[in-house]
Amino acid sequence: MSVLWRRAVAAVGVGGVAGLLALGAAAGAAPASAAPRAAAGGEEGQGSFRIKDPRITESSGLAASRTHKGVYWTHNDSDDGPYIYAVDSSTGRTVATVTLKGVNPRDLEAVSTGPGGEVYVGDIGDNLNGGWNEVWIYRFHEPRTLRDTTVTPTRYTVRYADGPRDAESLMVHPKTGRVYIASKNQNKKGGIYAGPEQMSPSGVNTFRRIARTEVWATDGAFSPDGTRLVLRGYFGGEMFRWRDGKPEALDTPVSVPVAGQGESVTFTADGRTLMCGSEGKGSTVDPLELEGELLPDSVPADERKADGGAKGGGGASGGDEGQIGEKKVVVGGAAIAAAVVVWTLLRRLFRRRS
């Protein structure tokens, strides 16, 4: 498979590429993988919820709380301030606002929960396409009581070993606590980066590339048991099996709901479902139930073997960087053409900013 073809698959999905080749295939055709329960276009369905806080207009990251059942942490993109919101999925209402004292964020893009009830926030966006030599990660302990509060977070300075990167995806492994960042796929520089085994609040924490990825990653998350890593883009996503600190691409496609500007993803507490969010006032968070090998190892083996089996993909192996194999991304029928056009325009826009 050529690099150009692989890039097209990663950007719009195997279903999207097939649709483009068909040029006029029926818009209602079934996608190549299990569709999300929520209807495309952001319509609320079973398990989905709508963010009702009028302050949250650019929800850019999403993380399931480890302490409070059914609560999700989110935040706005740039130009909002040092605020992290806890949203109750049963009502869509904000039940706590955490203010990060002493923080003047430049471009908040991601939030992730780690072991011990720690919440990590990634001030890692870079719309200048690698114009910032340093970015930052803030860490605070998840409050036991959900109420408005101000905390002084631990601040980590981050640099990439191979130079500045634009990134929107921050993932903390739930067992080891190691922090990872996925950069956007821009000019063949998209990749997964690993931080030090123990980050230090003093000095600089250097993140090193451990794998390449084709997807234009807008968010990522580990499963609660740490055996799966998902990265999502605007129109698709990819899933990896996580072994010995390395990602191995899976063969089974992953769909994401087509709802506005797709920006965020997290696993539910049981690891069986992805929750996918988007930007915009009153945006929805929509579920995607996982099947087969996409399910984490904590799910019984007989369930993981159903509907797609457990086919191992070609993944990252030894060395500083492994090459991810064919990408597993799918979008459905009517959104395909629009997705391609929008994706192309976005690439041009960001290139102009570089």
Side-chain angles (χ1 to χ4, degrees), residues 211 240-241 246-250 312-318 321-325 327:
F240 306 94
R241 178 178 289 109
K246 297 284 187 177
E248 300 176 359
L250 297 180
S317 55
E321 178 180 355
Q323 182 171 344
I324 305 301
K327 295 304 141 215

Side-chain angles (χ1 to χ4, degrees), residues 216-250:
W216 187 306
T218 60
D219 202 10
F222 280 105
S223 60
D225 68 356
T227 65
R228 296 292 184 272
L229 171 68
V230 65
L231 297 178
R232 75 156 298 173
Y234 293 120
F235 314 118
E238 52 188 334
M239 185 78 78
F240 306 94
R241 178 178 289 109
W242 195 261
R243 285 179 175 170
D244 301 322
K246 297 284 187 177
E248 300 176 359
L250 297 180

Side-chain angles (χ1 to χ4, degrees), residues 301-317:
D302 58 340
E303 294 184 42
R304 286 186 281 113
K305 288 180 181 178
D307 300 315
K311 303 175 183 178
S317 55

Side-chain angles (χ1 to χ4, degrees), residues 12-16 18-19 26-36 40 253-256 258 288 329-334 336:
V12 301
V14 292
S33 69
V254 176
S255 295
V256 296
V258 181
L288 169 64
V329 288
V330 176
V331 294
I336 292 170

Side-chain angles (χ1 to χ4, degrees), residues 71-150:
V71 169
Y72 292 85
W73 293 100
T74 190
H75 55 84
N76 280 314
D77 206 332
S78 53
D79 300 326
D80 177 41
Y83 309 117
I84 314 300
Y85 305 97
V87 178
D88 185 345
S89 62
S90 66
T91 64
R93 301 187 182 281
T94 298
V95 290
T97 301
V98 175
T99 302
L100 305 181
K101 184 178 180 181
V103 170
N104 183 21
R106 185 166 59 197
D107 192 357
L108 296 183
E109 288 289 356
V111 60
S112 181
T113 50
E118 299 296 315
V119 179
Y120 294 74
V121 183
D123 192 355
I124 57 176
D126 190 346
N127 286 338
L128 297 179
N129 238 357
W132 307 117
N133 290 325
E134 296 178 345
V135 292
W136 301 278
I137 294 171
Y138 314 114
R139 176 177 60 85
F140 65 93
H141 193 77
E142 190 169 9
R144 293 190 177 276
T145 302
L146 290 174
R147 57 182 176 82
D148 292 353
T149 186
T150 298

Side-chain angles (χ1 to χ4, degrees), residues 16-347:
V17 171
L20 287 173
L21 292 176
L23 291 177
S33 69
R37 284 193 177 275
E43 294 300 321
E44 290 177 293
Q46 181 179 356
S48 67
F49 65 93
R50 188 176 297 277
I51 297 176
K52 297 180 179 178
D53 192 329
R55 297 173 297 175
I56 305 175
T57 59
E58 293 183 294
S59 176
S60 188
L62 193 69
S65 170
R66 301 291 178 86
T67 305
H68 305 284
K69 184 178 180 180
V71 169
Y72 292 85
W73 293 100
T74 190
H75 55 84
N76 280 314
D77 206 332
S78 53
D79 300 326
D80 177 41
Y83 309 117
I84 314 300
Y85 305 97
V87 178
D88 185 345
S89 62
S90 66
T91 64
R93 301 187 182 281
T94 298
V95 290
T97 301
V98 175
T99 302
L100 305 181
K101 184 178 180 181
V103 170
N104 183 21
R106 185 166 59 197
D107 192 357
L108 296 183
E109 288 289 356
V111 60
S112 181
T113 50
E118 299 296 315
V119 179
Y120 294 74
V121 183
D123 192 355
I124 57 176
D126 190 346
N127 286 338
L128 297 179
N129 238 357
W132 307 117
N133 290 325
E134 296 178 345
V135 292
W136 301 278
I137 294 171
Y138 314 114
R139 176 177 60 85
F140 65 93
H141 193 77
E142 190 169 9
R144 293 190 177 276
T145 302
L146 290 174
R147 57 182 176 82
D148 292 353
T149 186
T150 298
V151 301
T152 301
T154 302
R155 174 174 172 153
Y156 302 100
T157 300
V158 170
R159 290 181 185 172
Y160 301 97
D162 52 359
R165 295 285 182 271
D166 185 18
E168 296 186 6
S169 309
L170 175 75
M171 302 82 66
V172 181
H173 196 275
K175 303 300 182 183
T176 67
R178 195 163 188 174
V179 181
Y180 298 85
I181 293 174
S183 67
K184 281 188 171 181
N185 178 25
Q186 182 75 1
N187 298 327
K188 301 181 181 180
K189 295 180 180 179
I192 300 173
Y193 290 78
E197 290 187 14
Q198 296 290 333
M199 292 201 303
S200 172
S202 60
V204 174
N205 296 274
T206 302
F207 278 59
R208 303 183 185 279
R209 181 186 291 239
I210 61 169
R212 196 182 84 188
T213 177
E214 299 291 349
V215 72
W216 187 306
T218 60
D219 202 10
F222 280 105
S223 60
D225 68 356
T227 65
R228 296 292 184 272
L229 171 68
V230 65
L231 297 178
R232 75 156 298 173
Y234 293 120
F235 314 118
E238 52 188 334
M239 185 78 78
F240 306 94
R241 178 178 289 109
W242 195 261
R243 285 179 175 170
D244 301 322
K246 297 284 187 177
E248 300 176 359
L250 297 180
D251 290 332
T252 304
V254 176
S255 295
V256 296
V258 181
Q261 183 172 321
E263 285 283 345
S264 58
V265 68
T266 189
F267 281 83
T268 54
D270 62 5
R272 295 172 180 265
T273 303
L274 296 179
M275 300 298 290
C276 304
S278 59
E279 284 193 357
K281 186 176 181 180
S283 61
T284 58
V285 178
D286 298 316
L288 169 64
E289 292 187 8
L290 300 174
E291 298 178 343
E293 66 176 351
L294 301 181
L295 288 163
D297 289 354
S298 57
V299 175
D302 58 340
E303 294 184 42
R304 286 186 281 113
K305 288 180 181 178
D307 300 315
K311 303 175 183 178
S317 55
D320 292 335
E321 178 180 355
Q323 182 171 344
I324 305 301
E326 283 88 19
K327 295 304 141 215
K328 321 329 181 219
V329 288
V330 176
V331 294
I336 292 170
V340 175
V341 172
V342 173
W343 178 74
T344 302
L345 292 174
L346 283 169
R347 284 181 64 86

